[in-house]
Amino acid sequence: LPPIEQMVAERVLGKATATVEMIEYASLSCPHCAAFHNSLWPTLKKEYVDTGKVKLIYRDFPTDKMALAASMIARCAPEERYFGMIELMFRTQDDWRRAKNPRSDLTKIGRLAGMSQATVEACLRNQKLFEVVMKQRNEGSQKLKISSTPTFIVNGRKIDGGVSLEEFRQVFDQALAKASKE
């Protein structure tokens, strides 16, 4: 297993210097989260993250045991493969959620990321990692009053899921305009 500090580190995609910060609270078993990641996210990432305007901070908010297991497996993967794992888990969510043995399907995804069976199993038994993922979820729930996934916080503004591509663009463009004036 990677060192615990690496497994529990904040997951950030994009340039550290980006003027707009989007925090996403998501559950890997949530169909609405998968819909966002499979439809809107590739465009938003290309237009805003890849251009250095927005950075994404991804926070786990597991809503069931399968999402918790998926979060833990993703966090045990090599750090440079983390967002690829998240993407793959959302893209194949229908398959592993409906599988007779979802945990086995999640283990296969871990194996695709180069993790051994033993590493995946050790990861799922790691109490410290479990506590960190649950702490992140509980803090989101208590401090930010997050009650559904996905929930986004863009430069401090809370946005519940179900937002269109145009609405996201408006939120990002407003945040960018505001940041350029400050």
Side-chain angles (χ1 to χ4, degrees):
L1 286 177
I4 190 73
E5 300 78 32
Q6 183 182 322
M7 290 191 291
V8 302
E10 191 88 87
R11 299 302 189 197
V12 183
L13 187 64
K15 288 188 178 149
T17 55
T19 52
V20 175
E21 175 183 278
M22 177 170 88
I23 302 170
E24 176 185 7
Y25 283 87
S27 174
L28 287 164
S29 64
C30 157
H32 302 289
C33 300
F36 168 77
H37 276 269
N38 295 330
S39 61
L40 304 184
W41 179 241
T43 302
L44 292 170
K45 181 182 176 295
K46 185 176 154 201
E47 292 176 7
Y48 293 93
V49 177
D50 295 348
T51 57
K53 298 173 190 169
V54 174
K55 71 178 169 191
L56 167 72
I57 298 173
Y58 182 91
R59 293 194 179 148
D60 295 300
F61 197 90
T63 53
D64 58 33
K65 286 180 179 171
M66 280 300 96
L68 176 60
S71 295
M72 291 173 71
I73 291 169
R75 286 183 162 278
C76 288
E79 212 168 335
E80 67 278 3
R81 294 196 179 144
Y82 178 78
F83 282 103
M85 292 255 319
I86 296 294
E87 188 181 311
L88 182 59
M89 286 176 173
F90 279 131
R91 206 171 48 239
T92 61
Q93 185 193 79
D94 281 347
D95 300 331
W96 60 262
R97 272 185 60 224
R98 293 194 175 110
K100 282 190 172 89
N101 184 348
R103 193 170 170 152
S104 172
D105 282 34
L106 287 171
T107 299
K108 287 177 191 161
I109 294 172
R111 305 267 301 132
L112 284 173
M115 297 160 61
S116 69
Q117 181 80 27
T119 298
V120 173
E121 291 302 320
C123 178
L124 290 169
R125 288 190 308 269
N126 189 306
Q127 186 61 31
K128 178 74 175 147
L129 181 57
F130 168 83
E131 289 166 6
V132 167
V133 170
M134 291 311 293
K135 180 177 183 236
Q136 191 172 69
R137 183 198 192 288
N138 294 337
E139 282 177 355
S141 178
Q142 292 159 4
K143 291 181 182 171
L144 301 169
K145 305 293 180 232
I146 291 168
S147 58
S148 64
T149 55
T151 296
F152 307 93
I153 298 168
V154 179
N155 280 9
R157 177 178 167 193
K158 186 174 167 185
I159 301 159
D160 293 316
V163 178
S164 72
L165 183 61
E166 269 319 302
E167 290 169 307
F168 263 112
R169 284 178 173 146
Q170 285 175 353
V171 168
F172 286 159
D173 291 342
Q174 286 169 0
L176 287 162
K178 186 179 176 193
S180 70
K181 290 177 188 163
E182 291 172 359

mmCIF file of all heavy atoms in Angstrom, residues 124-160:
data_model
loop_
_atom_site.group_PDB
_atom_site.id
_atom_site.type_symbol
_atom_site.label_atom_id
_atom_site.label_comp_id
_atom_site.label_asym_id
_atom_site.label_seq_id
_atom_site.Cartn_x
_atom_site.Cartn_y
_atom_site.Cartn_z
ATOM 1 N N LEU A 124 -8.897 -2.264 1.374
ATOM 2 C CA LEU A 124 -10.272 -2.339 1.881
ATOM 3 C C LEU A 124 -10.324 -2.633 3.383
ATOM 4 O O LEU A 124 -11.331 -2.345 4.029
ATOM 5 C CB LEU A 124 -11.065 -3.395 1.105
ATOM 6 C CG LEU A 124 -11.369 -3.013 -0.350
ATOM 7 C CD1 LEU A 124 -11.921 -4.210 -1.110
ATOM 8 C CD2 LEU A 124 -12.331 -1.833 -0.412
ATOM 9 N N ARG A 125 -9.239 -3.182 3.929
ATOM 10 C CA ARG A 125 -9.187 -3.460 5.376
ATOM 11 C C ARG A 125 -8.510 -2.333 6.161
ATOM 12 O O ARG A 125 -8.422 -2.402 7.378
ATOM 13 C CB ARG A 125 -8.416 -4.756 5.627
ATOM 14 C CG ARG A 125 -9.150 -6.008 5.232
ATOM 15 C CD ARG A 125 -8.439 -7.256 5.737
ATOM 16 N NE ARG A 125 -7.027 -7.301 5.384
ATOM 17 C CZ ARG A 125 -6.523 -7.859 4.283
ATOM 18 N NH1 ARG A 125 -7.333 -8.419 3.413
ATOM 19 N NH2 ARG A 125 -5.220 -7.863 4.057
ATOM 20 N N ASN A 126 -8.026 -1.286 5.458
ATOM 21 C CA ASN A 126 -7.249 -0.234 6.118
ATOM 22 C C ASN A 126 -8.168 0.682 6.936
ATOM 23 O O ASN A 126 -8.900 1.503 6.387
ATOM 24 C CB ASN A 126 -6.471 0.562 5.065
ATOM 25 C CG ASN A 126 -5.486 1.522 5.677
ATOM 26 O OD1 ASN A 126 -5.834 2.353 6.508
ATOM 27 N ND2 ASN A 126 -4.236 1.403 5.274
ATOM 28 N N GLN A 127 -8.118 0.526 8.249
ATOM 29 C CA GLN A 127 -8.994 1.264 9.153
ATOM 30 C C GLN A 127 -8.737 2.771 9.089
ATOM 31 O O GLN A 127 -9.664 3.569 9.115
ATOM 32 C CB GLN A 127 -8.818 0.751 10.592
ATOM 33 C CG GLN A 127 -9.795 1.345 11.589
ATOM 34 C CD GLN A 127 -11.265 1.045 11.280
ATOM 35 O OE1 GLN A 127 -11.613 0.010 10.718
ATOM 36 N NE2 GLN A 127 -12.140 1.982 11.636
ATOM 37 N N LYS A 128 -7.481 3.170 8.993
ATOM 38 C CA LYS A 128 -7.128 4.596 8.955
ATOM 39 C C LYS A 128 -7.734 5.255 7.711
ATOM 40 O O LYS A 128 -8.313 6.335 7.776
ATOM 41 C CB LYS A 128 -5.600 4.757 8.979
ATOM 42 C CG LYS A 128 -5.125 6.187 8.901
ATOM 43 C CD LYS A 128 -5.359 6.916 10.206
ATOM 44 C CE LYS A 128 -4.764 8.317 10.141
ATOM 45 N NZ LYS A 128 -5.517 9.281 10.918
ATOM 46 N N LEU A 129 -7.624 4.581 6.566
ATOM 47 C CA LEU A 129 -8.197 5.107 5.325
ATOM 48 C C LEU A 129 -9.723 5.195 5.436
ATOM 49 O O LEU A 129 -10.316 6.204 5.053
ATOM 50 C CB LEU A 129 -7.788 4.227 4.143
ATOM 51 C CG LEU A 129 -8.303 4.667 2.772
ATOM 52 C CD1 LEU A 129 -7.875 6.085 2.440
ATOM 53 C CD2 LEU A 129 -7.827 3.691 1.697
ATOM 54 N N PHE A 130 -10.336 4.163 5.978
ATOM 55 C CA PHE A 130 -11.785 4.165 6.217
ATOM 56 C C PHE A 130 -12.177 5.390 7.038
ATOM 57 O O PHE A 130 -13.103 6.123 6.701
ATOM 58 C CB PHE A 130 -12.192 2.873 6.946
ATOM 59 C CG PHE A 130 -13.586 2.893 7.494
ATOM 60 C CD1 PHE A 130 -14.675 2.582 6.691
ATOM 61 C CD2 PHE A 130 -13.819 3.232 8.826
ATOM 62 C CE1 PHE A 130 -15.978 2.609 7.212
ATOM 63 C CE2 PHE A 130 -15.106 3.258 9.343
ATOM 64 C CZ PHE A 130 -16.189 2.949 8.536
ATOM 65 N N GLU A 131 -11.445 5.632 8.126
ATOM 66 C CA GLU A 131 -11.753 6.765 9.019
ATOM 67 C C GLU A 131 -11.605 8.096 8.298
ATOM 68 O O GLU A 131 -12.428 9.003 8.486
ATOM 69 C CB GLU A 131 -10.849 6.725 10.252
ATOM 70 C CG GLU A 131 -11.193 5.586 11.198
ATOM 71 C CD GLU A 131 -10.119 5.322 12.252
ATOM 72 O OE1 GLU A 131 -9.128 6.088 12.334
ATOM 73 O OE2 GLU A 131 -10.273 4.328 12.993
ATOM 74 N N VAL A 132 -10.579 8.232 7.471
ATOM 75 C CA VAL A 132 -10.355 9.490 6.760
ATOM 76 C C VAL A 132 -11.475 9.761 5.748
ATOM 77 O O VAL A 132 -11.986 10.878 5.656
ATOM 78 C CB VAL A 132 -8.968 9.499 6.074
ATOM 79 C CG1 VAL A 132 -8.837 10.642 5.094
ATOM 80 C CG2 VAL A 132 -7.874 9.584 7.127
ATOM 81 N N VAL A 133 -11.868 8.740 4.997
ATOM 82 C CA VAL A 133 -12.945 8.911 4.016
ATOM 83 C C VAL A 133 -14.241 9.286 4.737
ATOM 84 O O VAL A 133 -14.947 10.211 4.328
ATOM 85 C CB VAL A 133 -13.124 7.643 3.147
ATOM 86 C CG1 VAL A 133 -14.392 7.735 2.295
ATOM 87 C CG2 VAL A 133 -11.899 7.434 2.263
ATOM 88 N N MET A 134 -14.535 8.608 5.842
ATOM 89 C CA MET A 134 -15.767 8.906 6.575
ATOM 90 C C MET A 134 -15.707 10.286 7.242
ATOM 91 O O MET A 134 -16.716 10.987 7.313
ATOM 92 C CB MET A 134 -16.059 7.803 7.606
ATOM 93 C CG MET A 134 -16.440 6.475 6.963
ATOM 94 S SD MET A 134 -17.730 6.594 5.676
ATOM 95 C CE MET A 134 -19.133 7.073 6.677
ATOM 96 N N LYS A 135 -14.529 10.687 7.692
ATOM 97 C CA LYS A 135 -14.371 12.018 8.291
ATOM 98 C C LYS A 135 -14.662 13.088 7.235
ATOM 99 O O LYS A 135 -15.364 14.070 7.515
ATOM 100 C CB LYS A 135 -12.950 12.178 8.840
ATOM 101 C CG LYS A 135 -12.686 13.520 9.480
ATOM 102 C CD LYS A 135 -11.278 13.586 10.071
ATOM 103 C CE LYS A 135 -11.084 14.918 10.769
ATOM 104 N NZ LYS A 135 -9.936 15.645 10.274
ATOM 105 N N GLN A 136 -14.140 12.891 6.029
ATOM 106 C CA GLN A 136 -14.382 13.849 4.941
ATOM 107 C C GLN A 136 -15.886 13.940 4.646
ATOM 108 O O GLN A 136 -16.430 15.030 4.489
ATOM 109 C CB GLN A 136 -13.618 13.398 3.689
ATOM 110 C CG GLN A 136 -13.567 14.424 2.597
ATOM 111 C CD GLN A 136 -12.650 13.998 1.479
ATOM 112 O OE1 GLN A 136 -12.948 13.052 0.745
ATOM 113 N NE2 GLN A 136 -11.536 14.671 1.334
ATOM 114 N N ARG A 137 -16.544 12.795 4.618
ATOM 115 C CA ARG A 137 -17.984 12.770 4.365
ATOM 116 C C ARG A 137 -18.734 13.493 5.487
ATOM 117 O O ARG A 137 -19.595 14.322 5.232
ATOM 118 C CB ARG A 137 -18.468 11.318 4.269
ATOM 119 C CG ARG A 137 -19.933 11.216 3.941
ATOM 120 C CD ARG A 137 -20.523 9.861 4.258
ATOM 121 N NE ARG A 137 -21.838 9.718 3.686
ATOM 122 C CZ ARG A 137 -22.931 10.338 4.129
ATOM 123 N NH1 ARG A 137 -22.875 11.155 5.143
ATOM 124 N NH2 ARG A 137 -24.094 10.147 3.543
ATOM 125 N N ASN A 138 -18.389 13.171 6.732
ATOM 126 C CA ASN A 138 -19.082 13.763 7.874
ATOM 127 C C ASN A 138 -18.851 15.266 7.970
ATOM 128 O O ASN A 138 -19.775 16.013 8.303
ATOM 129 C CB ASN A 138 -18.675 13.054 9.171
ATOM 130 C CG ASN A 138 -19.153 11.608 9.192
ATOM 131 O OD1 ASN A 138 -20.102 11.250 8.503
ATOM 132 N ND2 ASN A 138 -18.482 10.768 9.952
ATOM 133 N N GLU A 139 -17.629 15.713 7.673
ATOM 134 C CA GLU A 139 -17.360 17.154 7.689
ATOM 135 C C GLU A 139 -18.176 17.869 6.616
ATOM 136 O O GLU A 139 -18.711 18.946 6.860
ATOM 137 C CB GLU A 139 -15.864 17.425 7.478
ATOM 138 C CG GLU A 139 -15.047 17.185 8.728
ATOM 139 C CD GLU A 139 -13.547 17.386 8.511
ATOM 140 O OE1 GLU A 139 -13.109 17.631 7.356
ATOM 141 O OE2 GLU A 139 -12.813 17.290 9.516
ATOM 142 N N GLY A 140 -18.284 17.272 5.437
ATOM 143 C CA GLY A 140 -19.100 17.851 4.374
ATOM 144 C C GLY A 140 -20.550 17.963 4.804
ATOM 145 O O GLY A 140 -21.208 18.976 4.582
ATOM 146 N N SER A 141 -21.016 16.927 5.451
ATOM 147 C CA SER A 141 -22.392 16.889 5.916
ATOM 148 C C SER A 141 -22.645 17.919 7.018
ATOM 149 O O SER A 141 -23.613 18.685 6.955
ATOM 150 C CB SER A 141 -22.699 15.478 6.424
ATOM 151 O OG SER A 141 -23.999 15.409 6.924
ATOM 152 N N GLN A 142 -21.770 17.973 8.017
ATOM 153 C CA GLN A 142 -21.987 18.839 9.171
ATOM 154 C C GLN A 142 -21.641 20.306 8.899
ATOM 155 O O GLN A 142 -22.438 21.197 9.172
ATOM 156 C CB GLN A 142 -21.185 18.328 10.366
ATOM 157 C CG GLN A 142 -21.720 16.997 10.884
ATOM 158 C CD GLN A 142 -20.708 16.204 11.691
ATOM 159 O OE1 GLN A 142 -19.601 16.656 11.940
ATOM 160 N NE2 GLN A 142 -21.087 15.000 12.100
ATOM 161 N N LYS A 143 -20.457 20.559 8.350
ATOM 162 C CA LYS A 143 -20.000 21.941 8.164
ATOM 163 C C LYS A 143 -20.641 22.627 6.966
ATOM 164 O O LYS A 143 -20.926 23.812 7.003
ATOM 165 C CB LYS A 143 -18.474 21.987 8.006
ATOM 166 C CG LYS A 143 -17.724 21.630 9.272
ATOM 167 C CD LYS A 143 -16.227 21.729 9.058
ATOM 168 C CE LYS A 143 -15.486 21.310 10.321
ATOM 169 N NZ LYS A 143 -14.044 21.194 10.095
ATOM 170 N N LEU A 144 -20.846 21.871 5.890
ATOM 171 C CA LEU A 144 -21.343 22.483 4.653
ATOM 172 C C LEU A 144 -22.795 22.106 4.355
ATOM 173 O O LEU A 144 -23.347 22.503 3.340
ATOM 174 C CB LEU A 144 -20.441 22.092 3.482
ATOM 175 C CG LEU A 144 -18.969 22.504 3.658
ATOM 176 C CD1 LEU A 144 -18.094 21.860 2.596
ATOM 177 C CD2 LEU A 144 -18.839 24.021 3.614
ATOM 178 N N LYS A 145 -23.383 21.309 5.243
ATOM 179 C CA LYS A 145 -24.786 20.890 5.106
ATOM 180 C C LYS A 145 -25.051 20.166 3.783
ATOM 181 O O LYS A 145 -26.100 20.326 3.168
ATOM 182 C CB LYS A 145 -25.742 22.082 5.260
ATOM 183 C CG LYS A 145 -25.559 22.868 6.550
ATOM 184 C CD LYS A 145 -25.938 22.045 7.760
ATOM 185 C CE LYS A 145 -25.770 22.816 9.055
ATOM 186 N NZ LYS A 145 -24.966 22.112 10.037
ATOM 187 N N ILE A 146 -24.076 19.369 3.357
ATOM 188 C CA ILE A 146 -24.257 18.590 2.139
ATOM 189 C C ILE A 146 -25.124 17.389 2.471
ATOM 190 O O ILE A 146 -24.870 16.680 3.440
ATOM 191 C CB ILE A 146 -22.890 18.184 1.553
ATOM 192 C CG1 ILE A 146 -22.202 19.451 1.042
ATOM 193 C CG2 ILE A 146 -23.045 17.145 0.448
ATOM 194 C CD1 ILE A 146 -20.771 19.297 0.701
ATOM 195 N N SER A 147 -26.181 17.216 1.683
ATOM 196 C CA SER A 147 -27.100 16.119 1.957
ATOM 197 C C SER A 147 -27.363 15.271 0.720
ATOM 198 O O SER A 147 -28.065 14.270 0.801
ATOM 199 C CB SER A 147 -28.415 16.675 2.500
ATOM 200 O OG SER A 147 -28.972 17.585 1.576
ATOM 201 N N SER A 148 -26.826 15.693 -0.428
ATOM 202 C CA SER A 148 -27.020 14.909 -1.648
ATOM 203 C C SER A 148 -25.785 15.039 -2.529
ATOM 204 O O SER A 148 -24.987 15.965 -2.365
ATOM 205 C CB SER A 148 -28.255 15.404 -2.404
ATOM 206 O OG SER A 148 -28.062 16.739 -2.834
ATOM 207 N N THR A 149 -25.668 14.087 -3.448
ATOM 208 C CA THR A 149 -24.538 14.113 -4.365
ATOM 209 C C THR A 149 -25.056 14.132 -5.802
ATOM 210 O O THR A 149 -26.117 13.570 -6.059
ATOM 211 C CB THR A 149 -23.628 12.887 -4.152
ATOM 212 O OG1 THR A 149 -24.411 11.692 -4.257
ATOM 213 C CG2 THR A 149 -22.917 12.945 -2.821
ATOM 214 N N PRO A 150 -24.336 14.808 -6.698
ATOM 215 C CA PRO A 150 -23.151 15.607 -6.402
ATOM 216 C C PRO A 150 -23.525 16.988 -5.874
ATOM 217 O O PRO A 150 -24.579 17.520 -6.203
ATOM 218 C CB PRO A 150 -22.473 15.733 -7.777
ATOM 219 C CG PRO A 150 -23.615 15.705 -8.758
ATOM 220 C CD PRO A 150 -24.646 14.788 -8.144
ATOM 221 N N THR A 151 -22.647 17.524 -5.055
ATOM 222 C CA THR A 151 -22.756 18.913 -4.610
ATOM 223 C C THR A 151 -21.419 19.567 -4.927
ATOM 224 O O THR A 151 -20.364 18.977 -4.705
ATOM 225 C CB THR A 151 -23.056 19.011 -3.099
ATOM 226 O OG1 THR A 151 -24.339 18.425 -2.839
ATOM 227 C CG2 THR A 151 -23.077 20.467 -2.632
ATOM 228 N N PHE A 152 -21.495 20.782 -5.454
ATOM 229 C CA PHE A 152 -20.297 21.517 -5.850
ATOM 230 C C PHE A 152 -20.210 22.814 -5.062
ATOM 231 O O PHE A 152 -21.229 23.430 -4.761
ATOM 232 C CB PHE A 152 -20.354 21.861 -7.346
ATOM 233 C CG PHE A 152 -20.612 20.665 -8.210
ATOM 234 C CD1 PHE A 152 -21.900 20.311 -8.586
ATOM 235 C CD2 PHE A 152 -19.560 19.868 -8.640
ATOM 236 C CE1 PHE A 152 -22.143 19.199 -9.373
ATOM 237 C CE2 PHE A 152 -19.790 18.743 -9.422
ATOM 238 C CZ PHE A 152 -21.085 18.411 -9.794
ATOM 239 N N ILE A 153 -18.993 23.230 -4.774
ATOM 240 C CA ILE A 153 -18.774 24.524 -4.136
ATOM 241 C C ILE A 153 -17.755 25.241 -5.009
ATOM 242 O O ILE A 153 -16.607 24.804 -5.129
ATOM 243 C CB ILE A 153 -18.293 24.361 -2.689
ATOM 244 C CG1 ILE A 153 -19.379 23.638 -1.900
ATOM 245 C CG2 ILE A 153 -17.967 25.726 -2.070
ATOM 246 C CD1 ILE A 153 -18.976 23.144 -0.565
ATOM 247 N N VAL A 154 -18.211 26.300 -5.667
ATOM 248 C CA VAL A 154 -17.360 27.054 -6.582
ATOM 249 C C VAL A 154 -17.017 28.382 -5.924
ATOM 250 O O VAL A 154 -17.895 29.227 -5.725
ATOM 251 C CB VAL A 154 -18.056 27.278 -7.945
ATOM 252 C CG1 VAL A 154 -17.166 28.096 -8.881
ATOM 253 C CG2 VAL A 154 -18.423 25.939 -8.583
ATOM 254 N N ASN A 155 -15.747 28.522 -5.558
ATOM 255 C CA ASN A 155 -15.280 29.723 -4.838
ATOM 256 C C ASN A 155 -16.238 30.105 -3.709
ATOM 257 O O ASN A 155 -16.615 31.260 -3.560
ATOM 258 C CB ASN A 155 -15.063 30.894 -5.802
ATOM 259 C CG ASN A 155 -13.742 30.786 -6.543
ATOM 260 O OD1 ASN A 155 -13.055 29.770 -6.481
ATOM 261 N ND2 ASN A 155 -13.371 31.840 -7.252
ATOM 262 N N GLY A 156 -16.659 29.097 -2.946
ATOM 263 C CA GLY A 156 -17.504 29.345 -1.783
ATOM 264 C C GLY A 156 -18.995 29.276 -2.041
ATOM 265 O O GLY A 156 -19.783 29.257 -1.106
ATOM 266 N N ARG A 157 -19.407 29.245 -3.292
ATOM 267 C CA ARG A 157 -20.843 29.197 -3.643
ATOM 268 C C ARG A 157 -21.279 27.753 -3.825
ATOM 269 O O ARG A 157 -20.752 27.026 -4.659
ATOM 270 C CB ARG A 157 -21.051 29.985 -4.940
ATOM 271 C CG ARG A 157 -22.475 29.960 -5.448
ATOM 272 C CD ARG A 157 -22.587 30.805 -6.710
ATOM 273 N NE ARG A 157 -23.849 30.559 -7.368
ATOM 274 C CZ ARG A 157 -24.124 30.961 -8.599
ATOM 275 N NH1 ARG A 157 -23.231 31.645 -9.290
ATOM 276 N NH2 ARG A 157 -25.289 30.691 -9.151
ATOM 277 N N LYS A 158 -22.266 27.347 -3.032
ATOM 278 C CA LYS A 158 -22.751 25.963 -3.065
ATOM 279 C C LYS A 158 -23.756 25.768 -4.197
ATOM 280 O O LYS A 158 -24.683 26.560 -4.360
ATOM 281 C CB LYS A 158 -23.397 25.629 -1.712
ATOM 282 C CG LYS A 158 -23.804 24.191 -1.554
ATOM 283 C CD LYS A 158 -24.290 23.969 -0.125
ATOM 284 C CE LYS A 158 -25.008 22.662 0.028
ATOM 285 N NZ LYS A 158 -25.576 22.517 1.365
ATOM 286 N N ILE A 159 -23.526 24.707 -4.970
ATOM 287 C CA ILE A 159 -24.399 24.385 -6.098
ATOM 288 C C ILE A 159 -24.770 22.915 -5.993
ATOM 289 O O ILE A 159 -23.896 22.049 -6.006
ATOM 290 C CB ILE A 159 -23.672 24.635 -7.441
ATOM 291 C CG1 ILE A 159 -23.249 26.092 -7.533
ATOM 292 C CG2 ILE A 159 -24.541 24.233 -8.620
ATOM 293 C CD1 ILE A 159 -22.147 26.345 -8.509
ATOM 294 N N ASP A 160 -26.054 22.637 -5.875
ATOM 295 C CA ASP A 160 -26.489 21.248 -5.848
ATOM 296 C C ASP A 160 -26.468 20.712 -7.272
ATOM 297 O O ASP A 160 -26.537 21.477 -8.224
ATOM 298 C CB ASP A 160 -27.881 21.132 -5.218
ATOM 299 C CG ASP A 160 -27.851 21.489 -3.738
ATOM 300 O OD1 ASP A 160 -26.921 21.037 -3.047
ATOM 301 O OD2 ASP A 160 -28.733 22.233 -3.276
#
